[in-house]
Amino acid sequence: MNIVVLCGGVGGSKLALGIYEEFPGESVTAIVNTGDDLELFGVHISPDIDTVTYTLAGLVNESSGWGLGDDTFRALGMLERYGHVGWFHLGDADLATHLVRTEMLRNGATMTEVTQFISQRLGVTATVLPMCDEPVRTRVRVADGWLAFQEYFVKRRHADTPFAVEFSGVKDARMSTPVLRALEVADIIVVAPSNPVVSIGPMLAVPGFRESICDARAPVTAVSPFVGSESVTGPADALMRAIGGESTSIGLARHYADWIDRIVIDTSDAPAANDIRDIAVACDVTNTLMRTREDKRHLARFVVEAAW
Amino acid sequence: MNIVVLCGGVGGSKLALGIYEEFPGESVTAIVNTGDDLELFGVHISPDIDTVTYTLAGLVNESSGWGLGDDTFRALGMLERYGHVGWFHLGDADLATHLVRTEMLRNGATMTEVTQFISQRLGVTATVLPMCDEPVRTRVRVADGWLAFQEYFVKRRHADTPFAVEFSGVKDARMSTPVLRALEVADIIVVAPSNPVVSIGPMLAVPGFRESICDARAPVTAVSPFVGSESVTGPADALMRAIGGESTSIGLARHYADWIDRIVIDTSDAPAANDIRDIAVACDVTNTLMRTREDKRHLARFVVEAAW
């Protein structure tokens, strides 16, 4: 069975890990957002790719959900001595990943090749794919102008009300052959409970991506990141409103309706199931919170079995 | 009083520190070799500049004489996981210096500007100057070909017999205005007991450097790095032989005779003093080993007073 999961960072990687652990005999491919990528001090950082890779490798910092477990921050402390405002959490061992990526890119490798090299070196047997090889940069408009995504998200701790979102460069991006192929041969496509606007949004904006999913033979099942009218983590609620949507599982169903078949919502949102079915999207109900390893594996099996 | 010291890394920075501490009221300028510079993972590393700067800032690792005290090596460990053979000792906090330097250079700053920024940020009130702004790369010929200096020195632990030395790029280098000016206004020029071939050699090879020293009004005093026929640290003896010289204080006096006025040799080499004076170079004798802080300050005062 070929299982494809579309995901962003922390939330998405948890479901990706559940699938990876629960279906060890199957081919698992994670297609990951790169709209959050940034350059700091000349090094190329891919936060979502790294979170997914470190999570699947069993190396992630369990308490934060990103970065390497037990990492240190000596380089960052020294950068601050040089006057850098250290708003981006750059771990010392983590920095090595960025240095390797940056050097490979400079030597002409694609993001796909770099990501494969890094994930393989870290012992990940799933396939981790960037959504595309071209640079796409998510920007968020707040009261005082457009911000690079990490500036909005990390530096300002997503405290600003977002009014609009754009994916700079996405018009020049194209589907990579491995992403195209993964969607074609998929038996099931899972949309992780990642931020619909800034994690799943950028991939849908890659020319041809949405069409490839619609053309795929696999059923497409999304897990809602909303419980009630709030997102489980991060600013998905505010960002949904910024693009004129509603920050609920019903709002998500409407937002995804033209390209998904099924949505899985949290038990506490069970009353919304019929409203979702009215939008012509199948709906299943289970515990979607992934606090423990068992939660992740339960959700993974539930999603795959519901679709299959 | 304007004191200028020409130096390389570990040995030179000890005397520079002695001068800096012993003459706190005077203007101290260190002109530092950059022939050892290298790029690793796209970051520009200036080993000698960093050693001098960290030493003057009181931040150097006291036991090794280079790197930052109490640094960690997480990034290097992770780089090894990615297959990099970690022969170059890249500390985590140290890496921040390289990142800042690399970004400033990429944004168009000169090595002189970068070095000034870093040393000032670390609280150094002496002036640290790279020997020039252009890239010069020292290469050493051994039995199986030419090696980049750090490959010869660190990776192969200077175990190969060197047969020749070249300073790639030095013909296109030129004296920077700050270096020219420092030599012009110097009241005393001290040549640290650094490697004569690969630390002092590259600066003498910068077009105009040797002439500027000869034209300077200041007396020029060199401290010999040799005790008997061996260098106190590193491969200065083998490298002196590689360029057809003799690895003794007498050999050094001959090698430097046309541009220095005076040489300070170690007490144990006292019998060589008259031979050195026969080469028309003044010679003074004292303890040149710098094991303790007092040793450094004693030698600093001795050298300055002998010349003055």
Side-chain angles (χ1 to χ4, degrees):
Chain A
M1 188 162 58
N2 295 314
I3 308 174
V4 169
V5 54
L6 313 187
C7 60
V10 178
S13 66
K14 287 181 180 174
L15 184 57
L17 178 64
I19 294 170
Y20 184 57
E21 290 192 338
E22 189 67 11
F23 300 97
E26 313 299 342
S27 158
V28 176
T29 300
I31 299 176
V32 186
N33 171 45
T34 54
D36 297 8
D37 287 17
L38 71 159
E39 289 226 336
L40 275 183
F41 292 97
V43 300
H44 185 112
I45 305 175
S46 293
D48 285 356
I49 296 262
D50 289 343
T51 297
V52 171
T53 305
Y54 293 162
T55 299
L56 296 182
L59 297 173
V60 80
N61 182 321
E62 301 278 353
S63 65
S64 63
W66 50 262
L68 288 160
D70 199 31
D71 207 353
T72 50
F73 294 85
R74 303 293 293 257
L76 192 63
M78 193 73 179
L79 285 171
E80 287 170 2
R81 242 181 127 146
Y82 289 125
H84 172 64
V85 178
W87 56 269
F88 196 83
H89 304 283
L90 206 59
D92 294 327
D94 193 25
L95 198 43
T97 302
H98 312 321
L99 288 174
V100 165
R101 173 183 295 118
T102 305
E103 188 179 49
M104 287 184 74
L105 290 173
R106 193 177 292 127
N107 291 339
T110 63
M111 270 297 287
T112 300
E113 289 164 344
V114 171
T115 304
Q116 183 165 34
F117 173 82
I118 289 173
S119 61
Q120 286 180 350
R121 280 282 175 170
L122 299 183
V124 175
T125 57
T127 303
V128 183
L129 294 175
M131 66 187 201
C132 61
D133 284 323
E134 297 76 14
V136 175
R137 294 295 177 270
T138 298
R139 287 156 30 100
V140 178
R141 188 162 65 77
V142 298
D144 57 333
W146 286 95
L147 302 177
F149 179 74
Q150 297 296 347
E151 206 178 341
Y152 158 75
F153 185 67
V154 180
K155 190 173 185 179
R156 299 201 185 182
R157 300 168 188 214
H158 50 84
D160 300 76
T161 301
F163 297 109
V165 174
E166 67 166 26
F167 310 119
S168 175
V170 78
K171 289 203 179 83
D172 298 322
R174 54 195 197 82
M175 301 280 285
S176 70
T177 305
V179 167
L180 261 174
R181 181 85 186 129
L183 293 174
E184 267 171 22
V185 304
D187 294 302
I188 170 169
I189 297 172
V190 178
V191 186
S194 298
N195 192 309
V197 185
V198 294
S199 295
I200 306 301
M203 29 189 121
L204 292 176
V206 172
F209 202 103
R210 186 185 289 254
E211 294 73 14
S212 294
I213 291 186
C214 293
D215 291 348
R217 61 189 170 96
V220 182
T221 302
V223 178
S224 175
F226 298 106
V227 174
S229 63
E230 293 188 350
S231 46
V232 175
T233 59
D237 39 11
L239 286 162
M240 274 298 273
R241 292 191 291 271
I243 61 162
E246 186 190 312
S247 66
T248 62
S249 291
I250 299 174
L252 185 79
R254 284 200 196 98
H255 184 59
Y256 282 175
D258 62 339
W259 63 279
I260 67 168
D261 302 298
R262 177 177 298 271
I263 189 168
V264 174
I265 64 172
D266 191 66
T267 314
S268 64
D269 274 345
N274 281 332
D275 289 337
I276 289 171
R277 290 179 191 122
D278 287 346
I279 311 167
V281 174
C283 184
D284 293 288
V285 178
T286 192
N287 170 34
T288 64
L289 297 181
M290 293 180 283
R291 295 210 176 87
T292 66
R293 187 173 174 183
E294 286 63 41
D295 288 345
K296 292 169 201 162
R297 295 182 66 153
H298 158 76
L299 185 59
R301 178 158 294 277
F302 184 90
V303 168
V304 169
E305 287 181 349
W308 206 238
Chain B
M1 186 161 59
N2 295 313
I3 309 174
V4 169
V5 54
L6 312 186
C7 60
V10 179
S13 66
K14 287 181 179 174
L15 183 56
L17 179 63
I19 293 170
Y20 184 56
E21 291 192 336
E22 189 68 11
F23 299 96
E26 314 298 341
S27 158
V28 176
T29 301
I31 299 176
V32 186
N33 172 44
T34 55
D36 296 8
D37 288 16
L38 71 159
E39 289 225 339
L40 275 183
F41 292 97
V43 300
H44 184 114
I45 305 175
S46 294
D48 284 356
I49 295 263
D50 288 342
T51 297
V52 171
T53 304
Y54 293 162
T55 299
L56 296 183
L59 298 171
V60 80
N61 181 321
E62 301 277 353
S63 65
S64 64
W66 50 263
L68 287 161
D70 199 34
D71 208 353
T72 50
F73 294 86
R74 304 291 294 258
L76 192 64
M78 193 73 179
L79 285 171
E80 287 171 1
R81 239 178 129 149
Y82 289 125
H84 171 66
V85 178
W87 56 268
F88 196 83
H89 305 282
L90 206 58
D92 294 327
D94 192 25
L95 198 42
T97 302
H98 312 323
L99 288 174
V100 166
R101 173 183 294 119
T102 305
E103 189 180 49
M104 287 185 72
L105 290 172
R106 192 179 292 125
N107 291 340
T110 63
M111 271 296 287
T112 300
E113 290 163 344
V114 171
T115 305
Q116 183 166 34
F117 173 82
I118 289 173
S119 60
Q120 285 178 350
R121 280 281 176 173
L122 299 184
V124 176
T125 57
T127 303
V128 182
L129 294 175
M131 65 186 201
C132 60
D133 283 323
E134 297 76 13
V136 175
R137 294 296 178 268
T138 298
R139 288 157 29 101
V140 178
R141 189 163 65 77
V142 299
D144 58 335
W146 285 97
L147 302 178
F149 180 73
Q150 297 295 347
E151 205 176 343
Y152 158 75
F153 186 67
V154 179
K155 190 172 186 180
R156 299 201 185 183
R157 299 166 190 216
H158 51 82
D160 300 76
T161 301
F163 296 110
V165 175
E166 66 167 24
F167 310 119
S168 176
V170 79
K171 289 203 179 82
D172 297 322
R174 53 192 198 84
M175 299 280 285
S176 70
T177 304
V179 167
L180 261 174
R181 180 85 186 130
L183 293 175
E184 268 171 22
V185 305
D187 294 302
I188 170 169
I189 298 172
V190 177
V191 186
S194 297
N195 191 308
V197 182
V198 294
S199 295
I200 305 301
M203 29 190 122
L204 292 176
V206 172
F209 201 103
R210 186 186 289 256
E211 294 73 15
S212 295
I213 291 187
C214 292
D215 292 348
R217 63 191 168 95
V220 182
T221 301
V223 178
S224 175
F226 298 106
V227 173
S229 62
E230 292 188 352
S231 46
V232 175
T233 57
D237 39 11
L239 286 162
M240 274 296 275
R241 291 191 291 272
I243 61 162
E246 187 190 312
S247 66
T248 62
S249 292
I250 298 174
L252 184 80
R254 283 199 196 99
H255 185 57
Y256 281 175
D258 61 340
W259 62 280
I260 66 167
D261 301 297
R262 179 177 296 272
I263 188 168
V264 173
I265 64 173
D266 191 66
T267 313
S268 65
D269 274 346
N274 280 331
D275 289 338
I276 288 172
R277 291 179 191 122
D278 287 347
I279 310 166
V281 174
C283 184
D284 293 288
V285 177
T286 192
N287 171 33
T288 63
L289 297 183
M290 292 179 283
R291 294 208 177 86
T292 66
R293 187 172 174 183
E294 286 65 41
D295 288 344
K296 292 168 200 163
R297 295 182 67 153
H298 159 76
L299 184 59
R301 178 157 292 277
F302 184 90
V303 167
V304 169
E305 287 180 349
W308 206 238

